[in-house]
Amino acid sequence: MEIEFELVTVHGEDVLMRTAVNYMDDELREEIHAEMAPCTAQAFCDEYARRHKEKYGQEWIIN
């Protein structure tokens, strides 16, 4: 299975990784990719959520 079709959990909701990527800050996403790849989609999203809150002072929300 390709990573974009994996389910990840964000705030208790399961979403496709490719959907989650659409709600990511490009700069943060690329930074995390450079540091963590390869890793699981869930580990990537967990780290993204942590850094998003650090950078923006609010939770990462997927609508």
Side-chain angles (χ1 to χ4, degrees):
M1 176 186 321
E2 291 185 43
I3 195 167
E4 67 182 30
F5 295 109
E6 286 186 41
L7 283 177
V8 293
T9 303
V10 179
H11 294 291
E13 298 292 325
D14 290 336
V15 297
L16 288 173
M17 180 61 174
R18 71 186 207 180
T19 300
V21 167
N22 288 331
Y23 288 89
M24 291 180 178
D25 172 278
D26 293 339
E27 183 179 304
L28 281 179
R29 186 184 69 244
E30 292 302 320
E31 181 180 292
I32 295 166
H33 183 266
E35 294 174 15
M36 292 184 63
C39 64
T40 66
Q42 187 63 58
F44 190 94
C45 285
D46 291 345
E47 181 63 15
Y48 180 86
R50 185 188 72 74
R51 293 190 196 191
H52 184 277
K53 186 170 186 175
E54 186 177 279
K55 181 175 181 176
Y56 295 105
Q58 60 188 18
E59 299 292 329
W60 174 42
I61 304 296
I62 296 178
N63 297 333

